[in-house]
């Protein structure tokens, strides 16, 4: 249904609603947080939405809602963030961080679409994804949920994913609502302490954190989630400037805003800015939150506040209109059970997509010629993450979510670990496996056993990383070194002198200077989903070529953080006495099985097209991610040393050259000035294009902009 008709439909419903029915629409109930009887009571009251409920339980709630006076259907939300992963039959795709390594927006778009089909088949309507936070401090627990550190890349990938979830038409039977979260600057909390205060100015918010949300609005994202945390002491839940002025007036957002989990209550219990529930409910609603996640106490408090005049009916009507208009646009008011296809959950097509995605998410960072691994007769596969599907999946699957009681949940097939993938792919070799140690020393290590297993092998594949206990909400880390005996395991195996590839299977960058310097090859795999192990084995065998690039910089040492590439300059070298200024690996880095050379960088000031010639200088075909950066030479406020502004991929045969175009826009040249205005300041700009964000990898051209 188009926006105009949806608005009219919502208006006619609003006119018939009582205060209680309106406030109920603004209340989202956690199914896990109540008994079945309570859930049905909330449906009878007309609760606008439930989260974390599947299958028949959801159907029963919907039937109850449909039999109420106005029969407004319930909107069901779920965290389907890398697939419909809380359903154990679903296709489990790589994490957003892994998807971002592809630098291929088509990928999150396809994954978004596949996820939407699976969520819709389960009778649900709304995913709390994508995450548009930036991961500029890798100590943060939720790095895996992001598209990395860069605003431009996160915006491109996020907008594509939203288009996948929402399809061409929201009322298509297999479209679901997307949710741009967490609004805003959530990942920048001090000390990477989840949900703490963010000490950045509004200018910085606009410059760094807003662009991905702007892209989300351009993609017509239907909902936005208010972050936990606060901005310079004002809880985001109460931040009228960001929730109303910026989001609605400037970005033109027309959908509805949902708080994060129990944000209204947190105003009292965690943030201490409200005295009681009525106070918190009034302020959260007035600030621009339309729906309150999980805080059911909001209902009575807000009804009372409406009756005594503390909460204005105008504000309530605005919120309810936002919610009902989205429900109408989704087609929910006409088809509470949309006629979507069956058999899409975990189907073959989605599993094939999961494998493609895992392949594109792998980043080769070192290779002294060991890879591709040819002719090995006996391969040792060692390490705690070589055969651990939980670590491979990462956060937000049925293992980690309370909805499924993680302790009692067993992994469900199909999936392929690295060990299994190696067996599938290296059919002519003998594969020897030893775990060596745990990631967190939960069981005794057996380093000597691992060494004994590896002796006599032609190659070692050592799979290190982190576990699901070290990722996610409330799992921030103060130290990003490898934990347990993983470093010791690496050193003992290295001492054997057998060619060794280290695979880092982790939720985020870890500090691995020794492995980076001493291993013969290093592959970063992040959380690759159900086919992650298969993709890794294929890459090691040379059945696929590595195409991934880093969407996030790797620190040498935790104390060196932050190391994101788009920093502002200082004049004392930016290094510590005891640590270098440079990261271990920079944004955009990643090798292939061939090499590329760049030449002839040119810019057309009329069309704003940057062009560069790329030549495959190796002897096999390969795909290069051509990256463009920009620097404003003199600006009224300090601007980053470089800013990522465009990228494209090109596949070239050995020896082949092609000239590729990188379209820039006026916006690429803009900055946020001291008055918080987005402007282009005329003058000189340096345009750069090449293989990664490192100076040595870039050609540079000076241009003038009027
Ligand atoms: C997270 C959100 C999530 C919500 C619902 C919160 O704790 O911050 O990202 O969507 O829970 O599960």
């Amino acid at each position: 249904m188009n926006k105009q008709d949806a608005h009219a439909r919502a208006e006619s419903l609003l006119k018939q609603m009582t205060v209680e029915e309106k406030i109920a629409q603004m209340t989202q109930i956690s199914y896990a947080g109540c008994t079945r009887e309570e859930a049905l009571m909330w449906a009878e009251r007309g609760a606008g939405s439930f989260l974390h409920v599947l299958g028949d339980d959801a159907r029963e709630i919907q039937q109850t809602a449909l039999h109420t006076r106005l029969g407004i259907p319930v909107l069901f939300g779920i965290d389907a963030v890398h697939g419909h992963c809380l359903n154990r039959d679903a296709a489990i795709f790589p994490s957003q961080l892994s998807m971002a390594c592809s630098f291929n927006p088509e990928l999150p778009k396809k994954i978004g679409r596949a996820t939407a089909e699976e969520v819709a088949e389960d009778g649900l309507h709304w995913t709390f994804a994508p995450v548009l936070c930036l991961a500029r401090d890798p100590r943060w627990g939720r790095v895996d949920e992001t598209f990395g550190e860069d605003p431009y890349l996160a915006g491109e990938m996020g907008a594509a994913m939203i288009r996948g979830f929402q399809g061409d038409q929201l009322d298509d039977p297999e479209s679901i609502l997307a949710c741009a979260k967490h609004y805003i600057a959530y990942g920048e909390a001090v000390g990477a302490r989840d949900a703490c205060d963010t000490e950045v100015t509004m200018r910085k918010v606009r410059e760094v954190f807003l662009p991905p949300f702007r892209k989300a609005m351009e993609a017509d994202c239907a909902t936005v989630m208010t972050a936990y945390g606060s901005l310079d002491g004002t809880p985001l839940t109460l931040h009228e400037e960001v929730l109303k002025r910026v989001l609605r007036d400037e970005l033109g957002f027309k959908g509805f805003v949902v708080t994060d989990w129990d944000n209204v209550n947190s105003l009292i219990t965690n943030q201490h800015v409200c005295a009681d529930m009525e106070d918190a409910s009034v302020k959260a609603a007035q600030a621009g939150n339309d729906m309150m996640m999980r805080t059911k106490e909001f209902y009575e408090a807000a009804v009372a506040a409406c009756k005594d005049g503390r909460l204005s009916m105008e504000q309530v009507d605005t919120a309810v209109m936002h919610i009902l208009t989205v429900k109408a646009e989704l087609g929910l008011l006409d088809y509470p059970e949309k006629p979507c296809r069956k058999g899409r959950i975990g189907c073959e097509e989605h599993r094939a997509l999961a494998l493609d995605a895992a392949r594109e998410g792998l980043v080769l960072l070192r290779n002294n010629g060991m890879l591709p691994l040819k002719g090995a007769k006996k391969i040792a596969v060692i390490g705690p993450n070589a055969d651990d599907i939980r670590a491979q999946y990462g956060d937000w699957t049925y293992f980690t979510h309370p909805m499924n009681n993680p302790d009692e949940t067993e992994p469900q097939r199909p999936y392929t670990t690295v060990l299994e993938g190696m067996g599938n792919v290296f059919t002519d070799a003998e594969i020897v496996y030893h775990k060596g140690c745990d990631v967190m020393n939960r069981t005794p290590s057996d380093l000597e056993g691992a060494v004994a297993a590896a002796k006599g092998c032609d190659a070692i594949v050592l799979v290190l990383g982190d576990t699901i206990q070290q990722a996610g909400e409330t799992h921030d880390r103060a130290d990003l070194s490898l934990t347990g005996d993983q470093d010791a395991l690496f050193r003992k195996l290295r001492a054997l002198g057998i060619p060794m590839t280290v695979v880092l299977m982790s939720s985020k960058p870890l500090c691995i200077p020794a492995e980076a310097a001493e291993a013969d090859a290093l592959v970063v795999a992040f959380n690759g989903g159900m086919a992650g192990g298969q993709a890794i084995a294929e890459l090691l065998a040379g059945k696929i070529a590595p195409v991934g690039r880093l969407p996030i910089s790797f620190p040498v040492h935790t104390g060196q953080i932050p190391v994101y590439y788009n920093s502002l300059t200082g004049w004392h070298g930016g290094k510590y006495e005891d640590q270098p200024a440079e990261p271990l690996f920079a944004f955009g880095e990643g090798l292939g099985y061939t090499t590329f050379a760049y030449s002839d960088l040119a810019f057309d000031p009329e069309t704003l097209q940057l062009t560069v010639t790329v030549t495959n200088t190796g002897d096999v075909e390969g795909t290069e991610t051509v990256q463009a950066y920009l620097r404003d030479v003199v600006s009224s406020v300090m601007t980053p040393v470089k800013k990522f502004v465009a990228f494209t991929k090109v596949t070239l045969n050995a020896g082949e050259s092609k000239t590729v175009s990188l379209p820039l826009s006026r916006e690429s040249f803009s900055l946020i000035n001291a008055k918080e205005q987005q402007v282009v300041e005329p003058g000189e700009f340096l345009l750069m294009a090449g293989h990664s964000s490192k100076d040595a990898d870039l050609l540079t051209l000076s241009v003038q902009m009027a």
Side-chain angles (χ1 to χ4, degrees):
M1 186 181 285
N2 68 41
K3 280 198 193 327
Q4 224 177 348
D5 293 348
H7 191 268
R9 190 73 190 279
E11 225 165 24
S12 85
L13 268 176
L14 185 79
K15 283 191 189 129
Q16 307 168 52
M17 292 170 82
T18 63
V19 171
E20 286 80 0
E21 285 164 338
K22 290 177 184 177
I23 299 295
Q25 276 302 309
M26 296 173 70
T27 310
Q28 186 186 50
I29 303 298
S30 153
Y31 188 72
C34 51
T35 61
R36 174 176 163 266
E37 287 66 32
E38 279 167 342
L40 296 178
M41 182 272 287
W42 280 107
E44 273 163 22
R45 275 186 178 169
S49 175
F50 277 72
L51 79 159
H52 298 156
V53 50
L54 293 173
D56 288 344
D57 297 334
R59 277 185 203 102
E60 189 181 23
I61 288 170
Q62 194 62 290
Q63 283 310 313
T64 307
L66 293 175
H67 287 94
T68 57
R69 193 176 76 88
L70 295 172
I72 302 174
V74 167
L75 186 71
F76 291 112
I78 195 147
D79 292 278
V81 304
H82 52 120
H84 183 27
C85 300
L86 303 188
N87 178 333
R88 61 193 82 182
D89 295 317
I92 298 193
F93 298 105
S95 63
Q96 275 193 206
L97 189 64
S98 171
M99 285 180 220
C101 297
S102 72
F103 280 60
N104 174 13
E106 276 305 304
L107 190 67
K109 186 171 177 193
K110 284 188 198 153
I111 290 176
R113 198 65 206 151
T115 303
E117 290 172 11
E118 300 204 9
V119 169
E121 183 175 344
D122 247 341
L124 313 180
H125 316 111
W126 180 21
T127 176
F128 305 125
V131 170
L132 299 180
C133 305
L134 301 180
R136 296 170 19 121
D137 187 332
R139 294 173 297 172
W140 187 37
R142 305 189 71 173
V143 169
D144 58 306
E145 295 182 56
T146 73
F147 288 118
E149 73 188 26
D150 180 64
Y152 178 69
L153 183 64
E156 293 299 304
M157 302 300 273
M161 198 169 192
I162 290 164
R163 293 194 169 97
F165 288 137
Q166 299 193 166
D168 295 333
Q169 292 268 108
L170 260 189
D171 56 4
D172 180 293
E174 287 164 1
S175 289
I176 58 170
L177 306 177
C179 182
K181 74 181 187 184
H182 310 78
Y183 187 70
I184 194 169
Y186 172 44
E188 198 79 354
V190 276
R193 294 178 179 168
D194 197 34
C196 280
D197 191 52
T198 304
E199 296 176 340
V200 298
T201 60
M202 273 309 291
R203 197 197 71 80
K204 189 68 112 192
V205 166
R206 287 173 184 283
E207 182 179 279
V208 179
F209 304 101
L210 198 58
F213 286 91
R214 190 186 296 278
K215 288 271 168 57
M217 297 312 123
E218 286 166 15
D220 248 336
C221 190
T223 74
V224 166
M225 187 184 291
T226 316
Y228 292 144
S230 47
L231 196 61
D232 188 19
T234 300
L236 269 320
T237 318
L238 300 187
H239 211 299
E240 277 201 52
E241 188 180 357
V242 303
L243 288 174
K244 285 188 170 168
R245 273 223 301 286
V246 177
L247 186 63
R248 300 267 176 200
D249 303 346
E250 289 179 33
L251 302 195
F253 176 59
K254 298 276 185 295
F256 73 83
V257 174
V258 62
T259 69
D260 201 345
W261 185 263
D262 216 13
N263 274 15
V264 178
N265 208 11
S266 286
L267 295 170
I268 309 164
T269 55
N270 294 315
Q271 293 171 316
H272 309 285
V273 293
C274 291
D276 53 41
M277 187 46 74
E278 192 168 323
D279 190 22
S281 301
V282 170
K283 287 182 174 150
Q286 299 284 22
N289 298 282
D290 302 312
M291 185 181 277
M292 317 301 159
M293 183 189 283
R294 202 255 170 200
T295 315
K296 48 186 191 247
E297 302 79 10
F298 167 80
Y299 174 79
E300 275 176 12
V303 168
C306 279
K307 292 192 170 159
D308 68 23
R310 287 186 64 201
L311 177 56
S312 82
M313 260 341 275
E314 198 189 338
Q315 184 63 48
V316 170
D317 285 353
T318 303
V320 176
M321 277 301 291
H322 289 153
I323 295 167
L324 292 179
T325 305
V326 170
K327 285 190 176 183
E329 279 183 270
L330 186 65
L332 185 62
L333 300 182
D334 296 314
Y335 304 102
E337 291 239 7
K338 285 192 177 181
C340 57
R341 276 178 293 171
K342 297 291 167 206
R344 304 303 286 163
I345 295 178
C347 66
E348 210 176 309
E349 195 185 317
H350 295 173
R351 297 203 305 264
L353 177 60
L355 176 58
D356 278 345
R359 288 168 174 156
E360 288 197 54
L362 298 174
V363 188
L364 178 68
L365 289 166
R366 289 273 185 266
N367 186 14
N368 67 4
M370 176 180 174
L371 298 181
L373 190 52
K374 300 277 182 215
K377 288 275 163 276
K378 195 171 174 192
I379 305 171
V381 177
I382 313 274
N385 284 354
D387 194 30
D388 185 338
I389 193 59
R390 288 175 167 82
Q392 187 172 307
Y393 279 173
D395 201 14
W396 288 113
T397 72
Y398 55 86
F399 292 131
T400 50
H401 203 268
M403 210 178 126
N404 285 296
N405 191 354
D407 296 336
E408 288 172 11
T409 304
E410 282 306 309
Q412 175 133 335
R413 295 285 177 179
Y415 60 78
T416 314
T417 65
V418 181
L419 176 62
E420 292 163 349
M422 292 296 290
N424 294 342
V425 172
F426 288 87
T427 44
D428 292 338
E430 182 188 345
I431 306 289
V432 179
Y433 167 68
H434 199 287
K435 186 173 175 183
C437 64
D438 275 345
V439 167
M440 293 175 75
N441 278 2
R442 294 256 153 93
T443 56
S445 303
D446 181 10
L447 306 188
E448 294 312 325
V451 167
K455 269 190 187 150
C457 289
D458 311 315
I460 298 174
V461 175
L462 175 61
V463 190
L464 305 173
D466 63 10
T467 75
I468 51 178
Q469 286 81 27
Q470 294 170 317
E473 281 174 52
T474 72
H475 295 286
D476 311 317
R477 290 180 62 180
D479 182 355
L480 295 181
S481 311
L482 288 170
T483 49
D485 286 330
Q486 294 187 89
D487 254 325
L489 178 63
F490 167 74
R491 284 174 203 288
K492 281 202 178 281
L493 291 170
R494 184 70 289 205
L496 294 175
I498 300 170
M500 180 195 282
T501 295
V502 170
V503 175
L504 185 74
M505 181 183 283
S506 60
S507 63
K508 56 166 64 173
L510 297 180
C511 300
I512 47 166
E515 289 72 12
E518 295 167 36
D520 295 292
L522 173 67
V523 178
V524 165
F526 294 129
N527 303 111
M530 67 197 308
Q534 177 71 18
I536 291 166
E538 288 178 0
L539 181 135
L540 300 183
K543 286 195 181 303
I544 58 163
V547 294
R549 300 289 182 265
L550 286 182
I552 186 166
S553 308
F554 270 55
V556 175
H557 183 280
T558 315
Q560 202 199 13
I561 293 170
V563 288
Y564 46 79
Y565 80 96
N566 49 353
S567 58
L568 304 184
T569 46
W571 53 93
H572 289 170
K575 66 175 176 49
Y576 297 96
E577 269 312 310
D578 46 1
Q579 291 295 330
E582 298 304 318
L584 184 61
F585 297 110
F587 178 85
E589 273 196 71
L591 304 169
Y593 284 151
T594 183
T595 47
F596 297 94
Y598 284 78
S599 58
D600 305 322
L601 180 61
F603 179 64
D604 180 342
E606 293 298 314
T607 60
L608 303 185
Q609 291 266 336
L610 189 64
T611 51
V612 68
T613 302
V614 189
T615 305
N616 181 344
T617 49
D619 43 23
V620 289
E621 186 201 81
T623 299
E624 172 71 328
T625 299
V626 184
Q627 304 168 33
Y629 298 85
L630 171 152
R631 174 159 192 179
D632 194 338
V633 176
V634 180
S635 43
S636 63
V637 290
M638 290 172 69
T639 44
V641 289
K642 49 180 90 79
K643 165 171 139 181
F644 189 46
V645 285
F647 58 98
T648 188
K649 298 187 89 134
V650 60
T651 300
L652 298 170
N653 292 322
E656 195 187 356
S657 286
K658 244 184 215 164
T659 299
V660 300
S661 296
L662 297 145
L664 306 188
S665 64
R666 283 288 289 179
E667 201 188 326
S668 317
F669 294 84
S670 69
L671 56 78
I672 305 292
N673 68 16
K675 292 185 184 149
E676 293 181 25
Q677 298 154 329
Q678 186 168 19
V679 293
V680 176
E681 295 181 345
E684 186 188 3
F685 289 82
L686 298 182
L687 298 179
M688 294 160 256
H691 173 74
S692 85
S693 68
K694 285 161 73 171
D695 286 339
D697 284 338
L698 293 165
L699 295 181
T700 303
L701 179 71
S702 162
V703 302
Q704 294 289 326
M705 284 292 285

